Amino acid sequence: MFKPARWHRLVGQSTETAVPGDADSLILDHVSDGVLIADMRLRGHPIVQVNPAFETITGYSAAEVIDKNCRYLQGNDRLQPEIAEIRAALAEGRSCAATLRNYRRDGTMFRNALRLEPLRDHEGNLTHFVGLIRDVTHAAGIDRLTGLLDRYALLDRLAQLELSPGCALLVIKLDILRFHDVNNGFGYDVGDALLRAVAARLATLPAAAISRADSNNFALAFELDDASRAAGIVEGVLDLLRPRFILPGTSLAVQFAAGFTIGLACAEPLQLVRQAGAALQRSKATPGHSPHPFAASDERDARNRIRLANELQTAVSNEELLFHYQPQVDLGSGVLVGAEALLRWNHGAFGLQPPARFIGVAEETGAMMEIGAWGLRTIAAYAARINQRRDTPVRFAFNVSVIEFLRRDMAAFVEQQLEETGCQAQWLTLELTENLMIPEPDDMRRSFEQLRRLGVNISVDDFGTGYSNLRYLERFPLSEIKIDRSFVRDVAHSAAKRVIVESVVKLGAALDIQVVAEGIETEAERTIVQALGCSVGQGYLFAPPVVESQFEQLLHDGFRLCGGWSSSGDKNR
Ligand code: C2E
Ligand code: MG
Ligand code: MG
């Protein structure tokens, strides 16, 4: 292949121009690496020759690049740490190698494994630099979508870093929150464009390493001369990501969770990345998702999550899942009209687990599909059993995960369960959290319509907390809205919240949608939401979620609200 010594001789022959002779052009024409030659004697170090492979890789023709400085290949992406190394090598007239993000004529990024070799004349004066350009975008270690390092290359890079004395390494991990919603709601091409746009912003940071660790997860490393600057740097990264991302057909404001950790020069890179990941999990699990510095307890939590994820796979077959039932009460008469089924996991070692502990893990690992199928079957069978002996049937509400709705034909699945269990469609309400209802909901709306045609009720859970949009109420065939408990709590103190609740109730009445208030804890809250027009309520004031036998006892005794009701049903909560 390429031999600097040969180039030396050939280019050296020509004193006026740097264009090599014919024999060399022939070689240039046939090497697969892009080659460019810059004249270091002229101002601006212009390119004086490129080969066909250069034109293929970059998309620029020779005529377009001759006389330009090769800097233009960097586009606006100037803050790459490798560039400093290249500048120094050029100034000192020595050879160097670095992998850069460069940009083709059409604006797409490629990873350029660049090698620079100086050429000297007979007196030893620097005359030219030869640049060898190799497109390693699809090479091992590079994430194809974003051009950032992949997670293995990140570890390699961190292991190779030579920190200046007294410096520490800051490792940050970032997650795009609700990335699934972007993919599912807007399509994978928009999801991909978002990842690329995030990568492009991150690439402008003076980081020692930037990587896309996996799907919507990024990792960055910074050299720190002063550990107290860590939180400020993390804030700076998040500030950079705050402006809306302009994507094909839409623009999105995106929220990120962040975890970070600081290590000394001798720290094991894998451990730092793990620590930042564990801190990230904490940030994801905290309301508001503020950035989280690593603490030793995070690693324990992370280990527990992994353990839970493994054990969840067999929770259904081991019959460790069960439902508690929380009564729903007619606010006018105090009569029990329904119940929400709330999932619990009776874990062998950790005891009874609330859904917040494991639903997220189940969704991430795919276990949710099996759990959801089991749950629906169980509730349909239970509703059939309870209602066959009753004059006025009880309606059972069942929470459906977003994932299930997207991955299975819910209408067909529900219909099958109804047939097999003898449950009637109107005994069943499917609750979906509002943030499921993102744009492009055509498939979703079709499913909803099929379910409503079957006679199944559909409820929007936690209304007011998601991507709130009153138009959903009109566009989706809903039968119920559950006003989130944060509104119910505030309604006693905040006039503004009262107006919101009242408007939702009025809208519901106009559209023939029942409005349920959840989380009613006090008599005052009950009185107000009732006065505002909510017909049905649910909350500790009436009953906490209770085990099956207690629920049946309630039904048997003819549950009716009389002052308050306290039960030991959910002591662990
Ligand atoms: P959700 O559907 O909004 O359920 C209501 C949650 O509020 C329940 O928590 C319930 O115990 C709690 N709650 C009820 N009354 C009161 C009250 O007066 N005050 C307060 N502070 N809380 C009250 P839980 O059982 O921990 O469930 C949490 C969430 O987990 C549910 O929120 C639901 O989104 C999800 N979930 C529960 N079961 C399932 C399931 O079978 N499948 C799926 N995909 N998600 C489920
Ligand atoms: Mg619910
Ligand atoms: Mg709710």
Side-chain angles (χ1 to χ4, degrees):
M1 268 279 297
F2 179 73
K3 294 216 174 55
R6 178 174 167 75
W7 279 94
H8 184 276
R9 182 181 59 74
L10 292 166
V11 179
Q13 281 172 353
S14 161
T15 48
E16 286 160 32
T17 72
V19 182
D22 287 347
D24 313 295
S25 290
L26 207 65
I27 297 166
L28 273 183
D29 286 352
H30 288 90
V31 293
S32 63
D33 284 354
V35 177
L36 66 81
I37 301 168
D39 193 327
M40 301 304 283
R41 299 165 302 186
L42 300 176
R43 256 189 81 194
H45 306 156
I47 296 174
V48 291
Q49 187 173 1
V50 296
N51 72 342
F54 174 96
E55 295 177 300
T56 310
I57 293 171
T58 66
Y60 289 102
S61 69
E64 287 171 306
V65 299
I66 298 293
D67 289 341
K68 291 212 174 90
N69 181 286
C70 56
R71 233 188 348 251
Y72 78 95
L73 285 175
Q74 294 154 17
N76 291 323
D77 194 355
R78 295 280 161 81
L79 281 174
Q80 307 179 51
E82 293 82 359
I83 292 173
E85 157 65 7
I86 292 173
R87 274 207 205 105
L90 288 176
E92 292 160 27
R94 59 175 164 82
S95 60
C96 80
T99 302
L100 295 170
R101 289 181 299 276
N102 277 177
Y103 295 84
R104 299 187 187 91
R105 190 171 192 277
D106 64 7
T108 54
M109 192 275 302
F110 69 99
R111 299 283 302 183
N112 175 7
L114 177 68
R115 197 177 164 77
L116 289 173
E117 292 290 343
L119 302 182
R120 296 177 192 283
D121 62 16
H122 300 301
E123 273 109 52
N125 300 314
L126 178 71
T127 61
H128 298 85
F129 255 100
V130 175
L132 286 183
I133 288 176
R134 182 171 292 175
D135 180 355
V136 292
T137 313
H138 304 307
I142 301 296
D143 170 44
R144 289 178 71 150
L145 183 68
T146 61
L148 300 177
L149 301 176
D150 69 15
R151 60 185 155 141
Y152 306 104
L154 171 75
L155 294 177
D156 291 346
R157 173 71 57 86
L158 293 183
Q160 285 159 12
L161 273 183
E162 284 175 19
L163 293 181
S164 318
C167 278
L169 193 66
L170 165 67
V171 177
I172 307 173
K173 283 197 99 177
L174 297 170
D175 230 12
I176 304 178
L177 291 166
R178 297 196 187 151
F179 183 67
H180 286 298
D181 289 350
V182 175
N183 262 341
N184 294 323
F186 297 92
Y188 284 92
D189 46 341
V190 172
D192 283 355
L194 174 61
L195 293 170
R196 258 189 253 119
V198 170
R201 281 199 203 166
L202 294 178
T204 63
L205 291 164
I210 306 175
S211 122
R212 182 167 76 119
D214 61 65
S215 83
N216 57 336
N217 181 274
F218 295 86
L220 298 104
F222 290 86
E223 196 173 319
L224 272 190
D225 49 8
D226 173 1
S228 69
R229 286 178 50 228
I233 292 179
V234 176
E235 276 307 329
V237 172
L238 292 172
D239 281 345
L240 181 72
L241 299 171
R242 208 149 283 145
R244 296 180 82 84
F245 289 90
I246 311 297
L247 306 169
T250 185
S251 84
L252 286 180
V254 180
Q255 213 190 346
F256 290 80
F260 60 99
T261 189
I262 302 168
L264 299 173
C266 57
E268 170 62 34
L270 182 59
Q271 193 184 352
L272 290 179
V273 172
R274 273 203 193 127
Q275 289 180 351
L280 171 66
Q281 291 303 333
R282 280 286 294 279
S283 165
K284 281 170 82 172
T286 325
H289 311 296
S290 48
H292 213 283
F294 170 74
S297 60
D298 297 342
E299 241 169 358
R300 204 176 49 235
D301 287 356
R303 275 200 301 275
N304 280 342
R305 274 175 71 84
I306 292 169
R307 183 171 162 190
L308 283 186
N310 275 330
E311 292 170 346
L312 255 184
Q313 307 290 344
T314 52
V316 172
S317 55
N318 290 347
E319 301 185 351
E320 292 168 352
L321 297 177
L322 66 151
F323 284 104
H324 283 186
Y325 296 89
Q326 185 175 34
Q328 294 182 336
V329 175
D330 180 301
L331 290 175
S333 64
V335 168
L336 186 155
V337 291
E340 179 172 9
L342 294 158
L343 192 61
R344 301 289 180 265
W345 178 15
N346 193 3
H347 184 279
F350 300 143
L352 203 63
Q353 298 293 305
R357 281 276 164 72
F358 62 91
I359 292 279
V361 176
E363 287 178 341
E364 277 166 28
T365 56
M368 197 63 229
M369 294 303 287
E370 195 193 350
I371 293 173
W374 167 86
L376 187 68
R377 215 177 302 126
T378 304
I379 294 303
Y382 190 57
R385 179 158 76 76
I386 293 291
N387 284 332
Q388 81 188 8
R389 307 181 236 130
R390 290 180 61 86
D391 300 333
T392 38
V394 177
R395 258 181 23 176
F396 284 86
F398 172 65
N399 295 281
V400 182
S401 156
V402 181
I403 304 280
E404 290 173 77
F405 237 93
L406 294 165
R407 297 220 192 120
R408 72 162 55 101
D409 180 346
M410 270 314 263
F413 184 66
V414 169
E415 189 171 14
Q416 186 195 346
Q417 299 310 314
L418 294 176
E419 262 167 33
E420 287 177 14
T421 59
C423 175
Q424 292 187 23
Q426 63 273 18
W427 299 343
L428 203 61
T429 300
L430 302 185
E431 290 192 7
L432 292 135
T433 55
E434 189 195 348
N435 60 33
L436 167 62
M437 297 184 192
I438 43 182
E440 308 292 335
D442 280 350
D443 284 354
M444 195 79 78
R445 201 176 45 225
R446 252 194 308 280
S447 281
F448 282 17
E449 278 160 2
Q450 287 166 355
L451 285 162
R452 295 286 282 131
R453 266 201 299 279
L454 280 176
V456 173
N457 306 294
I458 297 177
S459 173
V460 194
D461 206 347
D462 308 329
F463 190 80
T465 58
Y467 291 106
S468 292
N469 186 341
L470 291 178
R471 281 188 55 212
Y472 297 145
L473 302 185
E474 171 217 322
R475 293 182 60 202
F476 287 97
L478 304 170
S479 42
E480 181 183 286
I481 298 167
K482 288 183 92 172
I483 296 193
D484 189 64
R485 65 168 171 274
S486 58
F487 285 88
V488 173
R489 194 173 52 230
D490 293 342
V491 96
H493 318 289
S494 152
K497 292 278 170 71
R498 224 167 5 239
V499 173
I500 295 174
V501 172
E502 195 173 2
S503 324
V504 172
V505 171
K506 283 204 176 118
L507 205 62
L511 297 167
D512 199 21
I513 299 174
Q514 162 172 286
V515 179
V516 175
E518 63 178 5
I520 301 180
E521 294 185 357
T522 65
E523 189 53 43
E525 287 165 358
R526 185 189 81 95
T527 312
I528 298 172
V529 295
Q530 192 189 351
L532 292 176
C534 290
S535 50
V536 174
Q538 179 182 341
Y540 296 163
L541 174 67
F542 311 117
V546 295
V547 298
E548 211 174 278
S549 60
Q550 274 178 306
F551 178 67
E552 285 164 34
Q553 191 65 47
L554 280 178
L555 285 175
H556 182 261
D557 296 349
F559 179 90
R560 188 180 284 269
L561 171 69
C562 39
W565 195 92
S566 67
S567 151
S568 54
D570 253 20
K571 266 198 203 124
N572 296 340
R573 296 168 29 76

